[in-house]
């Protein structure tokens, strides 16, 4: 096992799109162990994606079981993950191992149905919501070369937007 | 001696204020930190931190031509503290209700009483002219815990103010 180096923004490699995993071999297992150890080394991280350590394959780990009050599916090794359904929007604050010393509010789907392969290549489908769903979406963004800083919103304008409805007779 | 300064600039809104102010700072050799800039009413307001080597008088001198040309009030204070590693909010509070005198002081008074430290507050007036509503979004630190805060907010709800509180659980991934 080894702790891998985490790429830090503005490293242009973080913007790279990752490719699907084709083979579930021993080398993949060793990488997953290293990725897991690297996540554990980060300060309070509940997820990590392979591109954050410079491997551009669609692989992520999410584990929010450190928040026992919240819905969680334990430690999930997400390989070739896909969101097949989503519902609702929620705002939450996010930070990232690749963007130290910054947090920001991001809008994510509240509930998702997720399809992925586990570390042995078995197809899994789960439904999750809230904090865990947020973590999954944050990690999946990395696989598409997207960082949460690209999605940060201002409460003033995005969450409680002042709408002007036309009054009767108004043109 | 190198210091961080807090620059406050306020003036009638027009295109180019930010460009000209930051250009003057760049040419003065200042390094910009965090900023909050927005239009309130017809005025454009800038609160901006900048690091500068040559003292407050030098900074004022570099900014004076732009401030005069664009009609901006300028105020400069020393404001040390690195931009990184600042306090993070752990609670978000949203308030809305019919606009009436005293709503902000009632809400923030209750929050202060319960040990809440405001890190950020944004408010807006919406609704129609005949029945305006007041909206407040606050983020801050609940220093005496969320239960104390919840207890402090209950009396406000009885007065018809719609207050919701949400823990901010930062997701790091």
């Amino acid at each position: 096992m080894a702790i891998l180096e985490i790429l830090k923004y503005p490293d242009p490699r973080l913007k790279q799109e990752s490719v699907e995993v084709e083979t579930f071999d021993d080398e993949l297992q060793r990488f997953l162990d290293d990725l897991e150890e690297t996540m554990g080394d980060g300060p309070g991280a509940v997820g990590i994606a392979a591109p954050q350590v410079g491997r551009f394959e669609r692989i992520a780990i999410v584990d929010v079981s450190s928040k026992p009050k919240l819905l969680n599916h334990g430690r999930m090794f997400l390989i070739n993950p896909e969101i097949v359904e989503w519902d609702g929007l929620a705002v939450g604050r996010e930070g990232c191992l690749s963007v130290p010393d910054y947090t920001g509010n991001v809008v994510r789907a509240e509930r998702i149905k997720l399809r992925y392969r586990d570390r042995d290549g078995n197809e899994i489908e789960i439904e999750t919501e809230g904090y865990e769903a947020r973590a999954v979406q944050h990690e999946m963004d990395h696989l598409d070369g997207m960082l949460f800083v690209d999605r940060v919103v201002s409460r003033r304008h995005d969450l409680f937007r002042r709408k002007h409805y036309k009054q009767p007779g108004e043109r | 001696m190198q210091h961080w300064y807090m620059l406050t600039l306020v003036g009638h809104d027009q295109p180019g204020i930010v460009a000209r102010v930051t250009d003057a700072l760049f040419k003065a050799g200042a390094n910009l930190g965090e900023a909050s800039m927005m239009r309130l009413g017809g005025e454009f307001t800038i609160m901006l931190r900048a690091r500068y080597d040559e003292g407050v008088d030098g900074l004022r001198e570099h900014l004076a031509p732009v401030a005069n040309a664009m009609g901006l009030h300028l105020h400069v204070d020393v404001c040390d503290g690195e931009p990184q590693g600042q306090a993070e909010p752990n609670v978000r509070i949203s308030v809305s209700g019919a606009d009436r005198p005293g709503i902000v002081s009632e809400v923030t008074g209750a929050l202060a009483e319960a040990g809440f430290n405001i890190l950020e507050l944004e408010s807006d007036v919406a609704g129609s002219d005949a029945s305006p509503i007041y909206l407040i979004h606050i983020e801050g630190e609940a220093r005496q815990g969320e239960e104390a805060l919840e207890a402090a907010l209950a009396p406000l709800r009885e007065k018809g103010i719609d207050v919701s509180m949400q823990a901010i659980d930062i997701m790091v991934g």
Side-chain angles (χ1 to χ4, degrees):
Chain A
M1 303 253 286
I3 290 172
L4 307 169
E5 192 196 337
I6 291 181
L7 304 183
K8 303 276 165 57
Y9 183 79
D11 191 313
R13 288 174 290 175
L14 288 166
K15 300 274 179 183
Q16 193 172 322
E17 200 174 325
S18 291
V19 300
E20 296 228 325
V21 172
E22 305 277 349
T23 47
F24 292 75
D25 55 10
D26 289 348
E27 193 278 328
L28 177 70
Q29 302 306 322
R30 282 194 296 275
F31 171 70
L32 291 172
D33 291 343
D34 288 347
L35 191 64
E36 187 176 14
E37 196 181 353
T38 306
M39 178 176 89
D41 188 52
V46 296
I48 192 167
Q52 287 181 282
V53 297
R55 178 160 169 151
F56 301 96
E57 288 188 276
R58 303 187 80 80
I59 299 168
I61 304 176
V62 167
D63 183 349
V64 304
S65 60
S66 58
K67 316 264 174 187
K69 280 195 236 160
L70 304 173
L71 172 73
N72 78 81
H73 289 81
R75 180 152 299 193
M76 297 188 287
F77 291 85
L78 307 175
I79 296 165
N80 303 338
E82 260 182 285
I83 291 172
V84 290
E85 277 174 36
W86 66 271
D87 179 37
L89 292 170
V91 179
R93 205 166 184 96
E94 300 183 14
C96 184
L97 296 171
S98 295
V99 190
D101 265 315
Y102 181 73
T103 65
N105 289 320
V106 179
V107 179
R108 301 283 186 189
E110 175 66 16
R111 286 169 292 281
I112 56 171
K113 187 188 274 185
L114 179 69
R115 190 180 296 153
Y116 63 95
R117 292 190 184 273
D118 68 9
R119 62 186 300 165
D120 301 314
N122 304 307
E123 191 172 290
I124 311 274
E125 200 171 282
I126 60 156
E127 287 179 30
T128 185
E129 61 181 52
Y131 193 84
E132 189 178 60
R134 171 169 302 278
V136 167
Q137 292 167 79
H138 177 111
E139 300 316 330
M140 285 182 64
D141 264 356
H142 281 298
L143 308 181
D144 292 323
M146 183 84 141
L147 294 173
F148 83 104
V149 291
D150 302 319
R151 295 196 190 268
V152 167
V153 297
S154 140
R155 281 177 312 293
R156 187 183 174 88
H157 294 109
D158 295 84
L159 309 186
F160 221 128
R161 195 189 304 265
R162 192 192 309 196
K163 290 196 177 72
H164 179 74
Y165 297 101
K166 281 192 178 158
Q167 303 298 315
E170 189 184 340
R171 292 198 301 164
Chain B
M1 156 119 188
Q2 195 174 62
H3 276 298
W4 280 96
Y5 294 94
M6 178 68 77
L7 312 178
T8 309
L9 293 117
V10 179
H12 192 65
D13 191 26
Q14 56 185 299
I17 294 176
V18 179
R20 289 184 63 181
V21 167
T22 54
D23 179 63
L25 289 166
F26 171 67
K27 286 179 177 151
N31 180 28
L32 305 192
E34 318 94 294
S36 157
M37 307 187 191
M38 64 171 66
R39 180 171 155 141
L40 298 172
E43 302 294 291
F44 193 71
T45 69
I46 298 178
M47 302 285 285
L48 167 66
R49 294 212 319 141
R51 200 174 57 203
Y52 185 66
D53 294 340
E54 288 154 53
V56 63
D57 292 338
L59 197 54
R60 281 207 189 95
E61 227 164 81
H62 278 101
L63 284 168
V66 179
N68 290 336
M70 301 198 88
L72 305 171
H73 295 283
L74 168 66
H75 189 84
V76 183
D77 289 301
V78 173
C79 176
D80 282 325
E82 289 306 309
Q84 287 92 353
Q86 297 291 317
E88 291 282 0
N90 60 12
V91 169
R92 174 185 307 130
I93 292 168
S94 299
V95 183
S96 58
D99 190 17
R100 59 170 171 77
I103 185 168
V104 179
S105 72
E106 278 170 42
V107 171
T108 55
L111 295 177
E113 197 96 328
F116 185 80
N117 186 41
I118 295 175
L119 294 172
E120 213 175 300
L121 183 151
E122 290 177 343
S123 65
D124 247 319
V125 181
S128 65
D129 290 344
S131 53
I133 56 169
Y134 205 80
L135 307 167
I136 315 173
H137 291 280
I138 301 172
E139 289 191 351
E141 304 163 286
R143 293 184 173 173
Q144 291 167 18
E146 289 170 36
E147 277 171 27
L149 206 52
E150 197 54 66
L153 296 179
L156 298 173
R157 295 199 179 105
E158 282 162 23
K159 289 186 199 169
I161 303 173
D162 194 350
V163 191
S164 68
M165 188 184 115
Q166 218 188 337
I168 299 177
D169 205 352
I170 299 173
M171 196 294 297
V172 179

